[in-house]
Amino acid sequence: EKVLVSAIAHNTSEAKITVLGVPDSPGVAAAILGILSGANINVDMIIQNVSAGHETDMTFTVSKGDFKQTLDMLTDAMPSLGAKGVVGDPHIAKVSAIGVGMRSHSGVAQKMFQALADERINIQMISTSEIKISVVINEKYTELAVRTLHSVFDLDKERGDTIGG
Amino acid sequence: EKVLVSAIAHNTSEAKITVLGVPDSPGVAAAILGILSGANINVDMIIQNVSAGHETDMTFTVSKGDFKQTLDMLTDAMPSLGAKGVVGDPHIAKVSAIGVGMRSHSGVAQKMFQALADERINIQMISTSEIKISVVINEKYTELAVRTLHSVFDLDKERGDTIGG
Ligand SMILES: C[C@@H](O)[C@H](N)C(=O)O
Ligand SMILES: C[C@@H](O)[C@H](N)C(=O)O
């Protein structure tokens, strides 16, 4: 099987914020992003899953520096958004497996998720793009997760090559 | 402001499936992907948001051709996964705004989501990557969504240029 994952990336500069229980109707997502873009808050990940009943949650990541201000702004906006709550956590890391050959995510995802499970690292969020599978985990597991994924996807060998080991 | 969105992409070949109410503990995501990769089911998007209490939902997209088989397989696996339900919908479209200059998703996302809201198109799922914001909508709105987003992000002009209009 050709090499599917070519690199493991990680980012511990972000914090996650979730707006809970918003109505699943047109205009709600725009209103939430309107608050953030109006305040010039940079957003990296945006994740919304299908709704349960007529409500759903929306999570996004901002820089740790913007965490407190964003949490406060959205908490103030809860009534106008019709949200049930706003929660957040600045102690997260995003860890990604990157591979341009990934036509499908199934096999790589299974291997990645199993490697994290074997180390008892809980996956808080999952998001994919054509060439990447990203998970959000507790920041304290960043090094363990990156080391484990390097080993599972045989990315250690490259290091050996460059040093002549 | 420099052009942030350079293209609108859409894909109506996929179906979504959600495994509802799975335990938020290590190993669950690996088990679900294990079922799919074991059956050689190709998966495109994988979305999991933060858990409410100790449970969460996991959604992924498969080709419309794999929809029925995947739904059946996961429904059978519900007891072993500890899931509360499995639901799905083959009548979806993924629509994406693509822009390599997107350092942050806020402003572009707000504009994209507002444009869809103005057409009363409900956003079922949201997922982002460095250069892209993707939404899942009802398949019947595909052309309307693509046309609306082309206009909002001034991508119509390009067409005018090539025809000399
Ligand atoms: C929840 C939110 O995404 C809503 N469905 C909307 O279209 O704005
Ligand atoms: C729900 C699922 O992602 C779980 N948290 C896991 O780590 O497998």
Side-chain angles (χ1 to χ4, degrees):
Chain A
E1 203 196 310
K2 68 176 192 310
V3 178
L4 279 178
V5 173
S6 52
I8 303 295
H10 68 280
N11 174 351
T12 52
S13 65
E14 292 175 8
K16 70 176 181 182
I17 294 179
T18 304
V19 182
L20 297 164
V22 294
D24 184 21
S25 51
V28 171
I32 293 171
L33 268 299
I35 293 167
L36 300 172
S37 67
N40 283 325
I41 302 274
N42 282 338
V43 166
D44 178 33
M45 298 171 84
I46 305 173
I47 291 189
Q48 178 204 318
N49 208 337
V50 293
S51 65
H54 294 290
E55 289 178 0
T56 188
D57 305 331
M58 239 175 108
T59 301
F60 41 84
T61 58
V62 299
S63 74
K64 288 197 192 328
D66 287 335
F67 175 68
K68 184 87 183 69
Q69 177 198 352
T70 311
L71 201 65
D72 290 346
M73 257 174 15
L74 288 168
T75 305
D76 292 345
M78 261 171 62
S80 72
L81 296 172
K84 293 228 171 18
V86 175
V87 294
D89 180 1
H91 304 296
I92 63 160
K94 179 167 82 168
V95 178
S96 305
I98 297 164
V100 286
M102 255 191 241
R103 213 183 69 63
S104 158
H105 294 111
S106 323
V108 170
Q110 195 270 333
K111 203 168 171 181
M112 178 183 189
F113 299 164
Q114 189 58 54
L116 297 173
D118 291 345
E119 297 296 335
R120 314 305 298 158
I121 298 173
N122 192 51
I123 298 168
Q124 298 179 13
M125 292 162 67
I126 303 171
S127 169
T128 56
S129 75
E130 275 65 31
I131 61 166
K132 207 164 65 162
I133 301 172
S134 297
V135 296
V136 167
I137 61 172
N138 186 315
E139 182 174 39
K140 70 186 177 198
Y141 297 123
T142 307
E143 290 73 23
L144 175 60
V146 170
R147 221 178 19 253
T148 302
L149 294 176
H150 268 116
S151 139
V152 156
F153 291 113
D154 290 335
L155 296 173
D156 288 339
K157 289 198 192 91
E158 277 170 5
R159 215 189 301 282
D161 288 352
T162 44
I163 299 173
Chain B
E1 205 196 315
K2 69 179 191 309
V3 179
L4 279 177
V5 172
S6 52
I8 303 295
H10 68 280
N11 175 352
T12 52
S13 65
E14 292 177 5
K16 69 176 182 182
I17 294 179
T18 303
V19 183
L20 298 164
V22 294
D24 184 20
S25 50
V28 171
I32 293 172
L33 268 298
I35 293 167
L36 299 174
S37 67
N40 283 325
I41 302 274
N42 282 335
V43 166
D44 177 32
M45 298 171 84
I46 306 173
I47 291 190
Q48 178 206 317
N49 208 338
V50 293
S51 66
H54 295 289
E55 290 178 358
T56 188
D57 304 331
M58 236 176 110
T59 301
F60 41 84
T61 59
V62 298
S63 75
K64 288 197 194 323
D66 287 335
F67 175 69
K68 185 85 182 69
Q69 177 198 353
T70 311
L71 201 65
D72 290 347
M73 258 175 16
L74 289 167
T75 305
D76 293 345
M78 260 170 64
S80 73
L81 295 172
K84 293 232 174 13
V86 175
V87 294
D89 180 1
H91 304 297
I92 63 160
K94 179 167 83 169
V95 178
S96 305
I98 297 164
V100 286
M102 258 191 242
R103 212 183 70 63
S104 156
H105 293 111
S106 323
V108 170
Q110 195 269 334
K111 203 167 171 181
M112 178 184 187
F113 300 164
Q114 190 59 55
L116 297 174
D118 291 345
E119 298 295 337
R120 315 305 297 156
I121 297 173
N122 193 49
I123 298 168
Q124 299 179 13
M125 293 163 67
I126 303 171
S127 169
T128 56
S129 75
E130 274 66 31
I131 61 165
K132 207 165 65 164
I133 302 172
S134 296
V135 295
V136 168
I137 61 172
N138 185 315
E139 182 173 41
K140 70 186 177 197
Y141 297 123
T142 308
E143 290 73 24
L144 174 60
V146 170
R147 219 174 23 250
T148 303
L149 294 175
H150 267 117
S151 141
V152 155
F153 290 114
D154 289 336
L155 298 173
D156 288 343
K157 289 198 193 93
E158 276 171 4
R159 214 191 301 282
D161 288 351
T162 45
I163 298 173

